[in-house]
Amino acid sequence: MQPGSSPYARPPAPAKKTPVWIIVLVVVGVGAVLLIGTLGALAVFGTRRYLAAAKTAEAKSTIGAIARAARASYERESLEEGQEGAHALCKSAVSVPAAPPMGVRYQPALSGGDFDTGDAQTGWKCLRVAMTQPMYYQYNYHQGAGYLAPAAGAGPDGFEAAAVGDLDGDGDTSLFATSGNVTGTTVTLRTTLYTERENE
């Protein structure tokens, strides 16, 4: 045995404890990162829903306007003819545009095409409907047949106003439609809106 040495092993040095404030700081930091990530995800989701709702509002508003224009044209022709029974719904219009825009807006032609087609008894000129602003949907007006919505409620004496869209450009389309029927000497508009895959 060496002088000054002990026959007993030296006890290990006590482990250093991490200060409590560092633990609290780490927990708060991780919690803040998780909270910010969650809020960011909610913000992105909320923004997407808001933008989709704004776009679908265009479709709902426009087909409502087309339906009211169809009723007004029926009544207008009745007044112009001056005799009961001479009025009629406008005949079908061409789809504008020819295919639904795929994730982009379509700028309709201001003259010579799109909403500037038809005549006094047919199409958009008969309805007196025109859009000049870029639009997300394809708009349709069918009278008597060719309806896009199943069970549209419009028979041979009715019409359908419809919007077909592809907001995300994936090839799947949404459909909004309303209709009207001639009842006696008036046009009755459908009170409910047909909707299929609203956010496509």
Side-chain angles (χ1 to χ4, degrees):
M1 196 163 140
Q2 300 272 341
S5 65
S6 167
Y8 302 104
R10 192 180 275 178
K16 292 186 177 181
K17 291 187 176 181
T18 305
V20 173
W21 67 271
I22 292 180
I23 295 172
V24 170
L25 187 62
V26 168
V27 169
V28 168
V30 169
V33 168
L34 290 175
L35 179 63
I36 290 170
T38 302
L39 291 176
L42 289 174
V44 168
F45 177 74
T47 301
R48 285 184 182 164
R49 284 185 56 115
Y50 172 78
L51 292 174
K55 292 172 184 176
T56 59
E58 173 204 305
K60 294 172 183 177
S61 173
T62 304
I63 63 172
I66 294 169
R68 290 188 299 276
R71 180 174 59 191
S73 68
Y74 182 88
E75 294 167 355
R76 179 180 65 241
E77 290 181 7
S78 175
L79 293 173
E80 288 173 1
E81 292 294 329
Q83 44 185 300
E84 200 168 319
H87 51 279
L89 290 169
C90 295
K91 299 299 180 197
S92 297
V94 298
S95 299
V96 178
M102 295 184 68
V104 295
R105 285 181 150 186
Y106 173 79
Q107 175 62 57
L110 300 179
S111 64
D114 292 338
F115 293 103
D116 192 27
T117 55
D119 54 38
Q121 288 81 36
T122 306
W124 301 113
K125 283 187 176 180
C126 176
L127 292 168
R128 298 182 183 176
V129 168
M131 290 183 69
T132 58
Q133 299 299 317
M135 53 197 202
Y136 286 105
Y137 292 84
Q138 174 197 59
Y139 292 101
N140 299 275
Y141 169 79
H142 296 108
Q143 193 279 313
Y147 303 133
L148 301 177
D157 295 326
F159 69 88
E160 175 191 71
V164 181
D166 185 2
L167 298 179
D168 55 10
D170 66 354
D172 293 329
T173 58
S174 58
L175 173 64
F176 300 87
T178 190
S179 59
N181 274 299
V182 175
T183 308
T185 58
T186 61
V187 175
T188 305
L189 298 180
R190 188 176 183 138
T191 57
T192 57
L193 181 70
Y194 176 84
T195 306
E196 189 176 292
R197 296 185 302 273
E198 184 170 352
N199 294 318
E200 276 298 332

